[in-house]
Amino acid sequence: LNSITKEKFLSNELSGKLMDAWRKATASLLPILTFTDIFPETFSVPDSDIKEKVERLNVSEDKIQEVLRDALREKGAFPIPRRRKDTVLEIADLEHFYLEVKGRRFSFSAVVKGYKSLSKLNWESISHQITKAYQTRPDYILLLSAREPVDGVITRMIDYGESVGNKNLIVFVPPMDLAKFLRWRGLI
């Protein structure tokens, strides 16, 4: 072994494996984040102000995405490119961006589900988007939904997160929190 040089020992393949092992080992060190950690302004919106709006958040998915992009840009997230229409090449509604939260920089992707885009929010209807959003290995995936989840979907999200080494991978934003966000942004 003494005859192996550092350069030969630290090949790209070994470096890649070491980095993957490090990421997996430190993934559990990621803190639990909530949507209110990112947007504490939503605390100022009382439940009573938006209760009737939550039943049917009739805001287009595109508009929710646009408002989210603007709010994230204001928080210093980058890169947040403008997008128009979805294509088959879409990875996520907001694809891999960085944002500082609680004094640490994290990477995110975001998936937005409008009221009209799903008949119900179950794992089968969102899993393809979640797994695609994870392709760039973000620290967190924001899942904003205008529909309440069916039984078991939150458990399935946690199971998926655990399967990739981050139990808290998916930051779920249910309709009540989405409505508070939209009210704070002046959309409803």
Side-chain angles (χ1 to χ4, degrees):
L1 291 177
N2 285 341
S3 65
I4 298 174
T5 65
K6 285 184 198 178
E7 291 76 25
K8 284 186 180 178
F9 181 74
L10 291 176
S11 66
N12 285 340
E13 181 182 0
L14 179 60
S15 294
K17 288 179 180 179
L18 289 172
M19 292 303 291
D20 285 343
W22 179 258
R23 263 194 243 48
K24 286 178 183 173
T26 59
S28 62
L29 301 177
L30 290 171
I32 297 171
L33 285 186
T34 64
F35 195 63
T36 53
D37 290 329
I38 301 168
F39 297 107
E41 299 86 350
T42 60
F43 276 128
S44 67
V45 179
D47 289 359
S48 59
D49 281 6
I50 47 91
K51 219 170 208 171
E52 73 272 357
K53 300 279 187 190
V54 172
E55 294 303 316
R56 193 159 193 262
L57 275 174
N58 200 8
V59 177
S60 76
E61 195 171 290
D62 292 349
K63 192 67 179 165
I64 296 169
Q65 291 171 15
E66 181 183 322
V67 168
L68 180 61
R69 281 186 187 91
D70 291 345
L72 287 166
R73 257 191 222 93
E74 289 171 17
K75 296 271 181 190
F78 67 94
I80 304 283
R82 291 242 175 250
R83 283 191 42 212
R84 295 292 173 228
K85 294 290 178 192
D86 295 344
T87 71
V88 294
L89 301 175
E90 178 187 60
I91 299 298
D93 293 315
L94 277 79
E95 189 176 336
H96 206 86
F97 61 92
Y98 299 90
L99 176 66
E100 189 170 305
V101 180
K102 295 183 172 184
R104 282 181 63 187
R105 184 177 292 171
F106 299 105
S107 60
F108 294 86
S109 286
V111 173
V112 177
K113 300 311 300 170
Y115 188 83
K116 292 180 180 177
S117 67
L118 296 173
S119 58
K120 61 183 174 180
L121 183 74
N122 60 19
W123 183 246
E124 291 73 23
S125 65
I126 60 169
S127 62
H128 67 286
Q129 286 183 286
I130 297 296
T131 55
K132 281 186 87 171
Y134 188 67
Q135 285 181 358
T136 61
R137 304 296 187 267
D139 296 320
Y140 299 98
I141 297 171
L142 298 175
L143 172 61
L144 290 77
S145 175
R147 288 203 182 260
E148 291 291 345
V150 299
D151 290 344
V153 75
I154 293 173
T155 300
R156 299 286 300 271
M157 288 184 227
I158 292 168
D159 287 346
Y160 177 73
E162 282 183 332
S163 77
V164 297
N166 179 2
K167 178 180 178 178
N168 304 302
L169 172 70
I170 302 168
V171 177
F172 180 56
V173 183
M176 181 70 85
D177 295 334
L178 177 57
K180 287 181 173 190
F181 173 74
L182 295 175
R183 170 62 57 93
W184 167 64
R185 297 301 294 181
L187 198 60
I188 61 170

